[in-house]
Amino acid sequence: MCAMHWRLGLAIVSLLAGCAAPMSTTTPVPAGGPTPAAEPPRPGQAPPAVLAGEVRWMQALFDGTPVGITTEPDGAMRVTVPMTYAFDAQSSMPKPPLRAVMDKVSATLARQPSAKVHVGAPGAAARAGAMRSYFGTKGVIALRVVAMAPPPGDIVTMRVVPGPVAIDKLDDGALPPPTGAFPGNRSPARP
């Protein structure tokens, strides 16, 4: 029994001795100097890369086609389709290739419940309305489809914008101090 206590004590001492060893406080600096820390998103604001997986998925689906999929600086996904594949001349009904792209954008919106899509098509405003109606047939509510000004050129544009996210943690220390909320001189309470 005494040997067991002795071994246990020795194990604890050796463990504590390992913890007491001084740790190095220097961190390696990458070549070219330290890189600036990325600014975290504000509470409720979606992180810039929230749609990164959707962009990769769409790029893989439409690789080798004239459909363009890009990420914008604010984290939005821009989908462009040439007019020759989107609408017939003088028609507001989307062609099958545009409908196929809109089906995939609808799938993205189903996976991103707070995202919205902004649509724009050259020509008559009825084209953007027809795109909005088509998204409605795929289960996307009208409030999530916003018609934007017609883009320049012969390109139909859909811009998937990430929506606000739930606030997990609010850092009160990052809030500005209230101004005028607490006056310095209060009159004494009256009896």
Side-chain angles (χ1 to χ4, degrees):
M1 181 90 161
C2 185
M4 187 168 84
H5 286 293
W6 184 76
R7 287 182 194 157
L8 181 62
L10 183 61
I12 291 174
V13 169
S14 63
L15 180 65
L16 290 176
C19 291
M23 294 180 55
S24 172
T25 58
T26 61
T27 55
V29 177
T35 56
E39 183 178 320
R42 294 185 307 269
Q45 177 187 15
V50 74
L51 293 176
E54 300 293 337
V55 170
R56 287 190 301 275
W57 177 69
M58 292 282 282
Q59 286 172 337
L61 282 174
F62 294 105
D63 187 34
T65 69
V67 176
I69 313 290
T70 57
T71 302
E72 296 190 340
D74 65 349
M77 174 176 64
R78 182 175 294 270
V79 181
T80 56
V81 180
M83 241 347 237
T84 56
Y85 301 101
F87 294 99
D88 284 324
Q90 307 302 320
S91 173
S92 63
M93 291 301 301
K95 286 182 173 181
L98 177 59
R99 289 196 307 259
V101 173
M102 291 170 56
D103 289 345
K104 301 307 179 192
V105 171
S106 297
T108 291
L109 292 171
R111 288 188 295 271
Q112 302 289 331
S114 64
K116 291 184 177 184
V117 62
H118 298 188
V119 298
R127 289 179 171 168
M131 291 173 70
R132 185 176 190 177
S133 296
Y134 186 81
F135 277 119
T137 66
K138 297 299 175 184
V140 180
I141 61 171
L143 291 173
R144 294 179 67 197
V145 184
V146 179
M148 60 184 185
D154 287 340
I155 298 286
V156 173
T157 302
M158 291 168 276
R159 188 172 183 268
V160 180
V161 181
V165 295
I167 300 174
D168 292 332
K169 179 182 172 187
L170 182 61
D171 181 14
D172 290 343
L175 295 174
T179 56
F182 303 104
N185 297 331
R186 289 189 172 179
S187 59
R190 295 185 186 208

